[in-house]
């Protein structure tokens, strides 16, 4: 089935498995891939789009096209980011289950609308050299601040190895932390399908940002890539852009991308002691702007988060060191 409204496409991928392309206005990701699995007794919607009118309109159209009864529909959130979770509170009924990992469910229910949550993130950004005035703008325009689900959600918590069956599809939950602490994929071994969320994307790279001093998000992400690389996958269904037919090759490309990022960060630090913000300003980004100063604040935010993740990885490996200078963290290479 193919339909369209304002550029929306509802596409049949496999028997009873469909994709709804949900537009993300004024966002470089362009659109979210929401997946719908239809069955006689229950349906499953995987990810939803942001809590904004344009996404709601697109989902409503797509679900009408597919004849989905929301009273007989459950939801699976690959992770807590607003472009994947924002509409779930609007779409779920009292009969719906909402599957999500514990770490990301906790963020959605306890923190995304909390000023304290965003203040802590902004303070951590300042510690890493992000200008205080720009951090306020970055938060006020952050999709997670603007378009997350509103109200408490009654989640059904899923863990690594749990099973979810809808019709002829029998999925196993695969924990893939990195993009978020609780990112979760779905794997159908008989059909060799991976619902990848933002763990593996095709023509763009998932943003691996770190806005907490705990853990190493990049190390977790690389470990998760290795885990998925062991699965027999013919088709990966990513959260954005096109479907992926050669998952193993894409995993190797993503690992190479991060190795190049690591090498680039080390090269930047040969120039001397720097904050994460300063490192980010010298990294290579797929942007059309002539200089870092011209980057939109939102893009500076995501770039700095990714720089922090790579610096944290190198610090954990013992290659670089972190110190406090002028009330900010600075990084330098170990001699």
């Amino acid at each position: 089935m193919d339909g369209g409204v304002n550029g929306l496409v509802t596409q049949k991928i496999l028997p009873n498995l469909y994709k709804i392309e949900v537009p993300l206005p004024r966002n470089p990701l362009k659109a979210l891939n929401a997946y719908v699995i239809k069955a006689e007794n229950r349906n499953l919607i995987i990810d939803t789009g942001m809590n904004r009118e344009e996404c709601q309109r697109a989902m409503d159209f797509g679900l009408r096209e597919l004849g989905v009864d929301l009273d007989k529909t459950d939801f699976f959130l690959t992770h807590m980011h607003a472009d994947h979770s924002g509409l779930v509170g609007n779409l779920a009924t009292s009969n719906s289950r909402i599957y999500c990992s514990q770490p990301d469910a906790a963020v959605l229910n306890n923190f995304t609308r909390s000023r304290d949550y965003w203040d802590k993130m902004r303070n951590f950004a300042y510690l890493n050299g992000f200008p205080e005035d720009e951090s306020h703008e970055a938060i006020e325009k952050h999709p997670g601040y603007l378009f997350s689900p509103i109200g408490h959600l009654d989640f059904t918590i899923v863990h690594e190895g749990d099973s979810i069956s809808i019709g002829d599809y029998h999925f196993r939950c695969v924990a893939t932390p990195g993009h978020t602490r609780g990112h979760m994929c779905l794997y159908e071994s008989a059909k060799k399908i991976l619902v990848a969320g933002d763990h593996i994307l095709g023509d763009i790279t998932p943003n691996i940002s770190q806005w907490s001093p705990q853990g190493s998000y990049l190390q977790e992400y690389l470990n998760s890539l290795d885990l998925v690389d062991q699965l027999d996958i013919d088709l990966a269904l990513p959260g954005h852009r096109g479907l992926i037919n050669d998952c193993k090759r894409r995993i190797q490309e993503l690992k190479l991308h991060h190795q190049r990022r690591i090498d680039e960060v080390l090269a930047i630090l040969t120039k001397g002691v720097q904050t994460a913000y300063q490192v980010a300003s010298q990294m290579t980004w797929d942007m059309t702007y002539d200089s870092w100063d011209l980057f939109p604040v939102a893009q500076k935010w995501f770039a700095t988060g990714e720089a922090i993740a790579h610096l944290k990885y190198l610090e954990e490996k013992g290659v670089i060191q972190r110190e406090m200078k002028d009330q900010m963290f600075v990084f330098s290479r170990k001699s």
Side-chain angles (χ1 to χ4, degrees):
M1 180 183 298
D2 293 285
V5 59
N6 297 329
L8 171 70
V9 174
T10 305
Q11 175 188 356
K12 182 176 181 179
I13 299 171
L14 290 170
N16 297 316
L17 195 162
Y18 303 87
K19 181 185 80 170
I20 299 176
E21 188 171 295
V22 182
L24 302 174
R26 296 175 294 282
N27 187 299
L29 292 171
K30 299 180 181 178
L32 169 90
N33 297 331
Y35 297 100
V36 180
I37 301 171
K38 295 188 65 180
E40 184 175 348
N41 297 321
R42 301 295 294 174
N43 310 302
L44 182 69
I45 296 174
I46 303 170
D47 293 341
T48 66
M50 295 178 179
N51 186 13
R52 58 185 301 172
E53 182 181 350
E54 299 91 339
C55 298
Q56 181 78 61
R57 190 163 57 242
M59 282 296 290
D60 288 345
F61 175 84
L63 295 174
R64 281 198 306 271
E65 281 277 298
L66 297 175
V68 171
D69 182 352
L70 289 175
D71 278 328
K72 298 179 179 180
T73 300
D74 297 323
F75 296 81
F76 182 91
L77 302 181
T78 59
H79 62 292
M80 56 89 168
H81 286 157
D83 54 324
H84 293 255
S85 67
L87 277 180
V88 70
N90 302 30
L91 297 171
T93 72
S94 59
N95 296 321
S96 300
R97 285 187 173 185
I98 305 172
Y99 299 104
C100 188
S101 71
Q102 178 65 55
D104 284 19
V107 172
L108 283 169
N109 266 341
N110 299 318
F111 301 121
T112 51
R113 293 287 170 173
S114 164
R115 287 303 313 189
D116 183 58
Y117 171 80
W118 294 103
D119 286 344
K120 285 181 178 179
M121 189 178 293
R122 187 169 60 246
N123 291 338
F124 187 71
Y126 176 76
L127 284 173
N128 282 278
F130 205 94
E132 192 169 7
D133 57 337
E134 290 189 352
S135 71
H136 285 275
E137 182 181 350
I139 294 298
E140 296 298 326
K141 293 183 177 180
H142 196 290
Y145 182 72
L146 294 173
F147 304 122
S148 288
I150 296 175
H152 184 85
L153 298 171
D154 186 13
F155 287 110
T156 297
I157 300 300
V158 287
H159 305 88
E160 166 71 35
D162 285 353
S163 298
I164 298 175
S165 293
I166 301 290
D168 294 332
Y169 292 85
H170 306 285
F171 291 107
R172 174 167 65 88
C173 296
V174 181
T176 50
H179 183 63
T180 67
R181 296 307 297 269
H183 193 287
M184 187 81 71
C185 295
L186 290 175
Y187 177 57
E188 221 289 4
S189 59
K191 297 177 174 59
K192 301 180 181 180
I193 298 169
L194 180 77
V195 183
D198 280 2
H199 181 53
I200 301 171
L201 301 176
D203 58 347
I204 54 177
T205 56
N207 179 260
I208 309 301
S209 287
Q210 178 136 359
W211 292 109
S212 166
Q214 282 79 41
S216 172
Y217 285 29
L218 178 56
Q219 183 65 71
E220 291 181 5
Y221 179 69
L222 295 174
N223 292 344
S224 297
L225 286 179
D226 287 339
L227 175 67
V228 170
D229 198 25
Q230 298 172 22
L231 303 176
D232 189 5
I233 300 168
D234 284 345
L235 180 66
L237 310 180
H240 307 279
R241 311 292 177 89
L243 308 185
I244 301 170
N245 294 304
D246 192 340
C247 197
K248 285 188 176 294
R249 184 178 74 175
R250 185 55 182 156
I251 286 171
Q252 294 308 309
E253 290 172 349
L254 290 169
K255 290 170 72 174
L256 179 60
H257 164 79
H258 286 289
Q259 185 57 56
R260 288 172 173 164
R261 278 261 188 265
I262 289 164
D263 293 342
E264 184 177 38
V265 168
L266 285 172
I268 290 168
L269 288 179
T270 61
K271 303 173 186 176
V273 176
Q274 300 180 63
T275 66
Y277 181 84
Q278 290 170 324
V279 170
S281 72
Q282 299 166 74
M283 292 171 69
T284 303
W285 304 106
D286 186 17
M287 294 287 209
T288 58
Y289 303 98
D290 292 333
S291 72
W292 173 259
D293 290 340
L294 297 176
F295 274 38
V297 169
Q299 298 309 312
K300 288 183 180 180
W301 180 268
F302 289 117
T304 301
E306 186 139 339
I308 296 170
H310 286 77
L311 289 162
K312 180 67 170 179
Y313 173 89
L314 288 166
E315 182 188 358
E316 294 281 326
K317 295 293 184 183
V319 180
I320 67 173
Q321 59 191 4
R322 178 182 52 149
E323 301 172 289
M324 182 70 77
K325 181 181 179 181
D326 298 329
Q327 296 183 308
M328 292 183 187
F329 294 133
V330 293
F331 299 86
S332 59
R333 294 188 65 159
K334 286 189 175 179
S335 54

